[in-house]
Amino acid sequence: MNKITAAITAVGGYVPEYRLTNAILETMVDTNDEWITTRTGVKERRILKDPDKGTSFLAIEAAKDLIRKRNLDPAEIDLVILGTATPDLPVAATAVYVATEIGAVNAFAYDLQAACSNFLYGMSTAARYIESGRYKKVLLIGADKMSSIIDYTDRTTCIIFGDGGGAVLFEPSTDGLGLIDEYLRSDGTGRKFLRIEAGGSLMPASEETVRNKRHFVYQDGKSVFKFAVSNMADVAAKIMERNSLSHEDVNWLVPHQANKRIIDATANRMGLDHAKVMMNIENYGNTTSATLPLLLHDYEKQLKKGDSLVFAAFGGGFTWGSIYLKWAYNSN
């Protein structure tokens, strides 16, 4: 019997309607379009303005888009994994609510948290369930309402992040398609450089933590940039080396959308023509867990069965890694 691999067989995505442009940010903090564009590559980001809607809304909409496009009966889904840094609630897993709302009545569900590496780690996790032979349809969603944890008076973070959701369906393949290899890493010394200080067991919420804005994202930009540039490029090069891939063999780089300069450095290290690099940071900013599936959503029609994709991501913690995947279908 041929080896079972986990292939992506459908993609969905959703971004809110409201566009927070650089021009609008100029009226909110001391910054300007040229400064933001030069340092990050972001022109605008989508923001979920409705205060009554959280990350679950983004995840549900992305999943519904996939279900509609694939004409999938949600009752056939075995498992729903949601990668998110902004769950609706601290205890009740957001994935469980999402599964119920989309009609995945026969699935079990849970959240996964590895900051901006959420979706990458989720791909590895979903693949193991498929490869076990026990599960046939695993829905992996990446979604974040980053605007809920961003201080819009802090120009070091508010220019970067946006809201969005993306989803993929993993199914078994015996044709050598799907997830081929992975190289995933982490380093706990990084948590001092990118974190939210309050709201966890170390520093529970109090009047003082709220007053001092300790529930918002803090980032030491220079340190994070330095680590991300070197490590994202290293793991992408490593996955190519391990699988004897030349720059000609790679059809697409699917990189986390944190900073255009990091993406460019990774592509350069791989020797890739920049026409092979998926990029939508200009339109969405960094949507954290949603960046990788939103890239697949935006580029889906350009993907061909058998295409070699290299995924790379870097997140707080620190977490990072790369995945080599062969695309399983023609979308047209």
Side-chain angles (χ1 to χ4, degrees):
M1 192 175 79
N2 291 338
K3 179 184 176 183
I4 296 173
T5 53
I8 292 175
T9 58
V11 176
Y14 174 80
V15 290
E17 292 183 7
Y18 180 77
R19 289 175 164 85
L20 177 58
T21 65
N22 289 349
I24 296 173
L25 276 177
E26 288 178 5
T27 68
M28 298 167 60
V29 290
D30 181 18
T31 191
N32 60 71
D33 174 66
E34 182 184 5
W35 193 91
I36 296 171
T37 305
T38 301
R39 284 161 178 78
T40 68
V42 184
K43 284 288 189 182
E44 62 181 34
R45 12 22 235 121
R46 301 297 186 94
I47 302 296
L48 182 58
K49 298 287 281 185
D50 190 337
D52 296 324
K53 292 177 179 175
T55 293
S56 61
F57 174 78
L58 302 167
I60 289 165
E61 291 301 309
K64 284 181 176 178
D65 181 52
L66 182 151
I67 290 166
R68 184 169 53 248
K69 285 163 58 181
R70 177 62 193 277
N71 194 26
L72 174 69
D73 179 358
E76 296 179 0
I77 298 170
D78 300 307
L79 165 62
V80 176
I81 302 171
L82 173 63
T84 185
T86 56
D88 284 4
L89 304 169
V91 175
T94 306
V96 177
Y97 177 72
V98 170
T100 297
E101 290 299 298
I102 65 174
V105 293
N106 295 310
F108 71 102
Y110 60 85
D111 294 353
L112 184 153
Q113 217 293 60
C116 290
S117 300
N118 280 340
F119 195 82
L120 191 80
Y121 282 19
M123 290 174 68
S124 172
T125 306
R128 299 296 88 79
Y129 283 102
I130 294 294
E131 290 165 1
S132 75
R134 292 187 178 184
Y135 304 90
K136 305 301 182 187
K137 289 180 170 60
V138 176
L139 181 65
L140 172 63
I141 307 170
D144 272 304
K145 186 180 179 182
M146 292 303 294
S147 60
S148 67
I149 55 171
I150 295 299
D151 176 6
Y152 285 93
T153 67
D154 176 11
R155 72 171 187 170
T156 65
T157 55
C158 72
I159 65 171
I160 299 169
F161 294 98
D163 302 339
V168 302
L169 182 68
F170 276 97
E171 295 186 272
S173 171
T174 54
D175 300 326
L177 303 172
L179 199 153
I180 306 300
D181 195 14
E182 62 186 47
Y183 186 63
L184 307 178
R185 311 296 297 159
S186 63
D187 181 355
T189 62
R191 80 172 182 175
K192 64 183 178 181
F193 300 113
L194 178 54
R195 66 186 188 274
I196 293 176
E197 286 188 312
S201 59
L202 267 180
M203 190 183 294
S206 66
E207 287 186 23
E208 181 186 358
T209 62
V210 173
R211 185 169 57 249
N212 293 328
K213 298 185 175 182
R214 300 179 88 166
H215 294 268
F216 293 123
V217 170
Y218 162 79
Q219 176 173 281
D220 178 344
K222 289 183 179 179
S223 297
V224 173
F225 180 84
K226 183 177 72 172
F227 274 90
V229 164
S230 60
N231 286 315
M232 244 177 81
D234 283 350
V235 291
K238 179 79 170 180
I239 209 83
M240 289 177 67
E241 179 186 343
R242 286 204 329 196
N243 292 277
S244 301
L245 298 172
S246 73
H247 63 90
E248 294 176 350
D249 298 321
V250 177
N251 297 102
W252 294 98
L253 170 63
V254 190
H256 174 54
Q257 305 288 291
N259 185 297
K260 186 178 183 297
R261 291 183 293 167
I262 297 172
I263 297 167
D264 290 343
T266 303
N268 291 339
R269 177 74 178 277
M270 297 169 68
L272 278 191
D273 187 310
H274 284 248
K276 291 184 172 183
V277 180
M278 293 187 186
M279 202 174 312
N280 56 19
I281 190 171
E282 180 178 335
N283 301 320
Y284 306 142
N286 181 356
T287 54
T288 303
S289 309
T291 61
L292 298 183
L294 279 176
L295 284 172
L296 296 178
H297 176 260
D298 287 359
Y299 282 81
E300 184 183 14
K301 291 183 179 179
Q302 299 183 50
L303 297 173
K304 298 179 179 63
K305 185 176 181 179
D307 277 356
S308 293
L309 279 60
V310 173
F311 294 76
F314 184 89
F318 289 129
T319 60
W320 71 98
S322 184
I323 282 176
Y324 169 38
L325 177 139
K326 294 189 77 68
W327 196 249
Y329 66 97
N330 295 314
S331 61
N332 294 328

